[in-house]
Amino acid sequence: MSENRSATFGLDGLSRQFPVLEGTIGPDVVDMRALSQKTGVFSFDPGLGSTATCTSAISYIDGDKGVLLHRGYPIEDLALNASFTETAYLLLYGELPTAEQYQAFRTDMNTHRLLNEQIRNFFNGFRRDAHPMAILCGTVGALSAFYHDGLDISEPKARDLSARRLIAKVPTIAAWAYKYSIGEPFIYPDEEMSFSENFLHMLFARPGNHYRVNPVLARAMDRILLLHADHEQNASTTTVRLVGSTGANPYACIAAGIAALWGPAHGGANEAALGMLETIGTRDGIPAFLNEVKNRNSGVRLMGFGHRVYKNFDPRAKILQATCHEVIEELGLKRDPLLDLAMELERVATEDDYFVSRRLYPNVDFYSGLILKALGIPKSMFTVLFAVARTVGWVSQWKEMIEEPSVRISRPRQLYIGAAERSFVPMSERR
């Protein structure tokens, strides 16, 4: 980060200068930390859409060009050439691992998959119809009650231990939340399997019935997890950083991120895309549905198309588009009515000038929802899988923030629009 220029801000006839900070790539940032001190006013930016709240070296998005980098590597290169575990190492430590580093990291992570046996009791406290995200959020937050040796966030080894534990244990909690919801016995993690193989095994294996993990499906799951691992300063990542700035333990921080992800405007987009397809019903319903979308007064939205950040094709969608077709081919689902409908909607919408001119291309949520459905994963688990993937990004962002020399507790300001100071009125005099 360099500071070579300044920006001038005028107020009440007076001009003040503020430094302009330059990152490696991307837009420059005006350093407004001294704004209130110099001018007596605060900036107003609801949603923080024009405000940089931190410095980070983890991921970078260029929405106009459809670029997503993880530690400088294009997401396409990682998705096609690296595993989710390899990418997790990259996000945590900044560089791709050597063969020796990778093997040591993978072995250590595998040993952390197992949960303290007492944690099984937590699940019995939830109703059988509890949403899996409720179970995930509550149980992850409670991990601090079991793993005390990683709670001293001032110690680098403790931070690293907690980060690895979270990445390894969240999939186990997620799989057990699913098993609990359908009344099946929990399947314990297998240390010999890869990250995605083990996750699928915990989801679908049953005692006494050998479950063979299909390598095509395992690769698809690995890509879904990798492509969702981190995505700059989104709502849940910002939540993790905000909670972490208070010095809260890492399990509480990640539980807060899970809670933020649970919102339908954030982590529920692929579930909404699948729901949209169910609403359309058949191929014959596509023209009428798209006409409603084009009518701005209808309130009907084309879910799974376009993205708030990407003004071009979502680079992650390109990978999952091919992966989606691989899964459908492998499972022989070409005649599945919903998947057939999705492929037709994709074709029609990407050939329609209305959507093309507005750059409304299928995004990662459109294809991930289709893949998860093809794998037999219910919609209630879609956001849970998102959390499994994003835990890697959350802990990487949390570690980066904690390790900054000048970390400060987050304390946003407000524009107060309530009543001015007034005198208290006794109840007997109130009218």
Side-chain angles (χ1 to χ4, degrees):
M1 182 175 65
S2 61
E3 177 186 319
N4 299 319
R5 296 175 291 123
S6 63
T8 301
F9 179 80
L11 183 69
D12 297 332
L14 299 176
S15 296
R16 289 88 165 179
Q17 288 190 323
F18 297 89
V20 174
L21 308 179
E22 299 177 4
T24 309
I25 49 179
D28 296 337
V29 175
V30 180
D31 186 348
M32 304 297 284
R33 282 175 288 186
L35 176 64
S36 62
Q37 179 184 349
K38 289 184 176 182
T39 66
V41 302
F42 298 126
S43 61
F44 184 65
D45 183 20
L48 303 177
S50 298
T51 300
T53 59
C54 65
T55 60
S56 181
I58 296 174
S59 63
Y60 169 77
I61 299 170
D62 186 329
D64 291 332
K65 296 180 180 179
V67 171
L68 171 59
L69 306 178
H70 283 351
R71 300 288 191 180
Y73 293 98
I75 193 66
E76 298 94 329
D77 288 353
L78 293 173
L80 295 175
N81 300 298
S83 67
F84 176 71
T85 302
E86 195 175 357
T87 303
Y89 186 98
L90 171 68
L91 292 173
L92 277 172
Y93 304 115
E95 298 293 342
L96 288 168
T98 63
E100 183 179 352
Q101 289 171 331
Y102 176 75
Q103 189 56 48
F105 179 68
R106 183 178 186 273
T107 300
D108 184 52
M109 291 286 288
N110 289 0
T111 62
H112 288 305
R113 290 174 176 172
L114 198 63
L115 294 171
N116 185 298
E117 189 66 10
Q118 284 183 284
I119 294 176
R120 286 181 60 105
N121 298 328
F122 275 60
F123 292 83
N124 294 329
F126 292 98
R127 287 171 52 112
R128 285 286 178 181
D129 60 355
H131 196 289
M133 280 294 281
I135 298 175
L136 183 68
C137 187
T139 308
V140 168
L143 291 179
S144 62
F146 293 88
Y147 303 104
H148 302 147
D149 52 340
L151 297 182
D152 185 357
I153 62 174
S154 65
E155 288 292 330
K157 288 184 178 181
R159 293 195 296 268
D160 195 53
L161 177 61
S162 291
R164 293 186 179 207
R165 277 179 173 159
L166 278 159
I167 297 169
K169 294 182 189 301
V170 166
T172 306
I173 297 172
W176 285 14
Y178 171 63
K179 287 295 193 182
Y180 183 77
S181 70
I182 61 175
E184 289 189 0
F186 296 155
I187 300 299
Y188 285 85
D190 188 326
E191 294 185 16
E192 299 302 315
M193 293 182 175
S194 72
F195 191 98
S196 296
E197 288 172 341
N198 173 67
F199 188 42
L200 286 173
H201 185 261
M202 289 191 296
L203 284 171
F204 297 121
R206 295 177 179 176
N209 182 16
H210 179 69
Y211 175 77
R212 185 185 72 85
V213 180
N214 185 316
V216 174
L217 306 188
R219 182 169 65 247
M221 176 60 72
D222 208 67
R223 284 180 178 170
I224 288 176
L225 296 176
L226 189 157
L227 293 169
H228 287 84
D230 195 63
H231 208 237
E232 246 191 40
Q233 304 307 313
N234 51 78
S236 58
T237 298
T238 300
T239 299
V240 170
R241 280 180 169 266
L242 189 149
V243 176
S245 75
T246 70
N249 71 74
Y251 305 105
C253 296
I254 302 309
I258 293 170
L261 186 71
W262 196 355
H266 189 8
N270 51 11
E271 185 176 348
L274 203 60
M276 173 194 69
L277 293 172
E278 292 171 348
T279 299
I280 296 173
T282 66
R283 280 177 169 233
D284 294 339
I286 291 176
F289 175 79
L290 293 182
N291 285 335
E292 284 192 79
V293 173
K294 295 174 184 178
N295 179 3
R296 294 186 177 182
N297 298 322
S298 71
V300 177
R301 295 178 58 196
L302 185 60
M303 305 303 297
F305 284 70
H307 195 281
R308 180 177 177 180
V309 173
Y310 298 108
K311 306 308 178 188
N312 206 316
F313 207 94
D314 184 340
R316 301 168 300 170
K318 296 178 183 179
I319 303 298
L320 282 194
Q321 181 185 45
T323 303
C324 182
H325 289 284
E326 289 174 10
V327 169
I328 291 173
E329 181 73 27
E330 176 68 17
L331 296 178
L333 296 175
K334 287 186 175 181
R335 296 184 179 179
D336 181 288
L338 198 66
L339 294 175
D340 179 65
L341 168 62
M343 296 302 101
E344 179 64 10
L345 177 64
E346 173 195 8
R347 185 191 67 79
V348 173
T350 53
E351 294 177 358
D352 189 313
D353 290 339
Y354 178 89
F355 300 108
V356 173
S357 64
R358 290 164 174 77
R359 298 182 178 181
L360 293 176
Y361 302 105
N363 61 34
V364 68
D365 300 307
F366 182 77
Y367 294 112
S368 65
L370 295 177
I371 294 172
L372 295 178
K373 180 190 182 300
L375 293 178
I377 295 172
K379 286 192 296 183
S380 62
M381 283 292 294
F382 284 9
T383 313
V384 174
L385 266 76
F386 196 157
V388 170
R390 188 54 58 84
T391 297
V392 172
W394 288 334
V395 296
S396 300
Q397 298 271 351
W398 171 80
K399 280 180 78 271
E400 181 181 63
M401 180 203 66
I402 295 296
E403 291 164 4
E404 289 177 357
S406 58
V407 60
R408 298 180 62 190
I409 185 171
S410 295
R411 179 56 171 91
R413 300 292 185 168
Q414 67 175 15
L415 177 64
Y416 178 69
I417 59 172
E421 183 177 351
R422 48 185 173 172
S423 300
F424 179 80
V425 179
M427 186 177 295
S428 60
E429 299 178 15
R430 296 174 199 163
R431 298 289 183 269

